[in-house]
Amino acid sequence: MGKSKTKNQKKSRATANHVAEETYGAVPHSFVFHRGQIGKNVGQLILDVRRVMEPFTAESLKIRKKNVLKDFVAIAGPLGVTHFMIFSKTPSSLNMRLARLPKGPMLHFRVLKYSLVKDVVSSLKKHRMHEQQFTHHPLLILNNFGTDGMHVKLMATMFQNMFPSINVHKVNLNNIKRCVLLNYNPATQEIEFRHYSLKVVPVGMSRGVKKLMQERFPNMSKFEDISELLMKGANLSESEAEQDGEHNITELPQVYSGRGNMASQQSAVRLTEIGPRMTLQLLKIQEGMGEGNIIYHSIISKTEEEIQEILNRKEAQLKDKEGRRKKQEQNVAQKKEQREENKKRSLEGIKRKHAEAEEDSEVEDPGMQDDQRPVVESDDEVEYYRQAVGEEPDEDMFPSTKKRKLAPGKQPWRDRDSKSPRRDGPGGSQHRDKAGKGWKNSRDGDKPFGKKMKPGGKTFGGKKYGDGDKKFGGKKKFEGNKTFGGKSNKDKSFRSKGQKPKPGFKKKGAGGFKQRKGKG
């Protein structure tokens, strides 16, 4: 179990965190992204520029096609973003816009030439780049930006505000590992963008001593004395020979990381390019976030009259837009009032309708008994009469309504609460005819026995086509006074499946069949 922090340690840590938050919030932050369709190389250029702007930039900013510039402006405020670098590509050129949030201005550049980091590093014989270089912001160097012209001064101010400012009295030299160089050419009005890795080495000693101090021991098998290594520096590669002079030698005010770099000693500053490279040309400067007046244009020049005409036209457009906005607000308010009025009238109508329905329900029906349930209304008057009375109506009671016929032998009406079973056979309900002469299927309707049906039908007991002399299934014949369907001369009744026995039919001489009347 570790020791708990003391009160002074907690206080000092809280103070350090507070100072770090204030310092981090005070420095400028940037977004580097693209708009529209870009190619693979331009996408890699954007990633390289983000690498230059580290650590105060969004390294993994995700862009969608449906995002607009207002989306980035909306989230820039809470995140403390102060600058935008927006790349866009046209069929003829590559453009870069540099904007200051939240109210501009916006500088439009054309990227004439560019090289990626991988191209720059591959062209060098010996490069120097590591991750620790990107933990601190680079040092900004501006060259030839002191010429006349307001647009040049505005560009210089914009570039200076993109990077954190440096206090020369408090700066720590070990935090400066990179530098960004911007060189302005007044003749061509082009800006050269370069990115370098910075290294400081001691001077005033031979290359052999530098090798020993760097713990790189050279091959001394050809030396007779160690003085040859210290004085001549023999057996060293040509790439280790550096051209140092007055242009890059300075006196260090602090101890710098690296062997031999001491305070108040001569040291040489060496730069190694790590990319990317860009050649920029200023096109125009615009107020606001790309929606204001054009302050400067490098190609188009206008007179004072033309500028005043443009301003008047824009002012008229703004007034027209304001008038349309006010009219739209009035229309919205008017529609809202109309909806509220319609809603109020609708509610009043609903309340009035409910009140009338309650008044009608309070009137007592004189024909309804106390123990009788209210009868459900029906469009069919005959059905309504059956439900209310429980009997079949007379034929002349509802002359305008066609009386619905029931199947013969079916009960006229049965109460819903009755539990008496229905007699339905497999082929439909069976019942006796009105005369009680015999059983027949309900599907046969009112067809009598022994008469022909529709074409394709047959008479009862008639011959089938192809049966020859066979009758009734082809098994039995009618001879003499034998009963219909019987085996003996005794009178056996014809039985229907599932029904009580009834008197059968007897053959009378050579004539047809004679029907006996049943008892029921």
Side-chain angles (χ1 to χ4, degrees), residues 404-467:
R404 186 167 55 190
K405 294 183 179 181
L406 294 175
K410 189 175 180 181
Q411 292 185 6
W413 181 82
R414 181 171 295 171
D415 191 10
R416 294 182 180 179
D417 297 334
S418 176
K419 298 183 180 180
S420 59
R422 298 177 60 187
R423 297 177 62 184
D424 294 337
S429 60
Q430 294 182 356
H431 48 270
R432 298 187 64 180
D433 56 353
K434 294 181 179 179
K437 294 182 179 181
W439 294 91
K440 61 179 180 178
N441 198 301
S442 63
R443 290 177 297 180
D444 296 337
D446 296 333
K447 294 184 292 184
F449 288 100
K451 291 188 178 182
K452 292 185 178 180
M453 298 169 59
K454 293 180 181 179
K458 63 177 182 177
T459 58
F460 185 85
K463 292 184 179 181
K464 284 187 178 180
Y465 293 104
D467 289 343

Side-chain angles (χ1 to χ4, degrees), residues 205-209 211 218 222-237 240-241:
M205 60 183 68
S206 64
R207 294 191 298 273
V209 176
K211 294 282 287 184
K222 298 181 180 180
F223 296 159
E224 295 181 359
D225 190 0
I226 194 174
S227 60
E228 295 182 8
L229 175 64
L230 300 178
M231 299 301 296
K232 298 180 181 180
N235 199 22
L236 295 175
S237 63
E240 293 177 348

Side-chain angles (χ1 to χ4, degrees), residues 69 73 84 86 97-108 154 158 284-295 314:
L69 188 60
V73 175
F84 283 170
I86 309 170
R97 288 176 290 173
L98 182 61
R100 177 71 166 88
L101 295 174
K103 297 182 180 180
M106 179 177 285
L107 278 65
H108 295 253
L154 184 58
M158 181 69 75
K284 62 181 179 180
I285 301 175
Q286 193 173 7
E287 293 179 349
M289 294 298 294
E291 299 177 352
N293 300 326
I294 297 176
I295 303 174
K314 193 160 189 178

Side-chain angles (χ1 to χ4, degrees), residues 134-146:
F134 299 96
T135 57
H136 299 280
H137 63 87
L139 176 67
L140 178 63
I141 301 174
L142 299 177
N143 187 32
N144 291 336
F145 279 89

Side-chain angles (χ1 to χ4, degrees), residues 222-454:
K222 298 181 180 180
F223 296 159
E224 295 181 359
D225 190 0
I226 194 174
S227 60
E228 295 182 8
L229 175 64
L230 300 178
M231 299 301 296
K232 298 180 181 180
N235 199 22
L236 295 175
S237 63
E238 295 179 359
S239 62
E240 293 177 348
E242 301 289 348
Q243 298 296 327
D244 295 333
E246 295 180 356
H247 63 282
N248 66 334
I249 295 178
T250 183
E251 183 178 342
L252 294 178
Q254 299 176 7
V255 177
Y256 195 83
S257 60
R259 296 193 179 268
N261 295 321
M262 304 299 294
S264 302
Q265 296 293 329
Q266 296 291 326
S267 297
V269 179
R270 296 173 183 173
L271 301 178
T272 304
E273 188 175 4
I274 57 178
R277 299 177 185 173
M278 285 191 296
T279 301
L280 307 176
Q281 182 183 11
L282 180 65
L283 294 180
K284 62 181 179 180
I285 301 175
Q286 193 173 7
E287 293 179 349
M289 294 298 294
E291 299 177 352
N293 300 326
I294 297 176
I295 303 174
Y296 168 81
H297 206 291
S298 61
I299 301 175
I300 302 174
S301 60
K302 296 182 179 180
T303 61
E304 293 293 335
E305 296 177 356
E306 293 176 345
I307 294 174
Q308 189 63 32
E309 183 181 356
I310 292 173
L311 294 176
N312 294 337
R313 190 188 314 125
K314 193 160 189 178
E315 186 177 0
Q317 291 177 356
L318 293 176
K319 288 182 179 179
D320 189 14
K321 184 177 180 180
E322 184 67 20
R324 291 197 303 269
R325 186 181 64 81
K326 290 182 179 179
K327 185 177 180 180
Q328 186 177 9
E329 291 178 355
Q330 293 176 359
N331 294 337
V332 170
Q334 184 178 0
K335 289 181 179 179
K336 187 176 180 180
E337 292 177 358
Q338 187 175 1
R339 283 197 303 269
E340 293 293 336
E341 185 178 356
N342 293 339
K343 185 178 179 181
K344 186 177 180 180
R345 288 202 303 265
S346 178
L347 292 175
E348 291 177 355
I350 292 172
K351 291 180 180 179
R352 185 170 58 252
K353 187 174 181 180
H354 283 304
E356 292 176 358
E358 291 178 359
E359 291 177 1
D360 294 341
S361 63
E362 290 177 359
V363 177
E364 185 179 358
D365 188 3
M368 186 176 65
Q369 300 179 5
D370 295 340
D371 56 347
Q372 185 179 2
R373 293 180 299 176
V375 182
V376 181
E377 296 183 1
S378 175
D379 296 334
D380 192 358
E381 296 178 351
V382 178
E383 188 66 19
Y384 179 82
Y385 185 87
R386 291 195 188 101
Q387 294 181 3
V389 181
E391 298 178 358
E392 284 288 333
D394 297 335
E395 296 180 356
D396 56 346
M397 183 176 294
F398 301 103
S400 62
T401 305
K402 186 178 180 180
K403 186 176 181 182
R404 186 167 55 190
K405 294 183 179 181
L406 294 175
K410 189 175 180 181
Q411 292 185 6
W413 181 82
R414 181 171 295 171
D415 191 10
R416 294 182 180 179
D417 297 334
S418 176
K419 298 183 180 180
S420 59
R422 298 177 60 187
R423 297 177 62 184
D424 294 337
S429 60
Q430 294 182 356
H431 48 270
R432 298 187 64 180
D433 56 353
K434 294 181 179 179
K437 294 182 179 181
W439 294 91
K440 61 179 180 178
N441 198 301
S442 63
R443 290 177 297 180
D444 296 337
D446 296 333
K447 294 184 292 184
F449 288 100
K451 291 188 178 182
K452 292 185 178 180
M453 298 169 59
K454 293 180 181 179

Side-chain angles (χ1 to χ4, degrees), residues 47-65:
L47 297 179
D48 294 343
V49 175
R50 289 181 184 178
R51 192 74 167 164
V52 175
M53 303 302 295
E54 288 184 9
F56 302 113
T57 187
E59 301 177 6
S60 303
L61 183 64
K62 302 298 181 182
I63 310 299
R64 295 182 179 178
K65 292 182 180 180

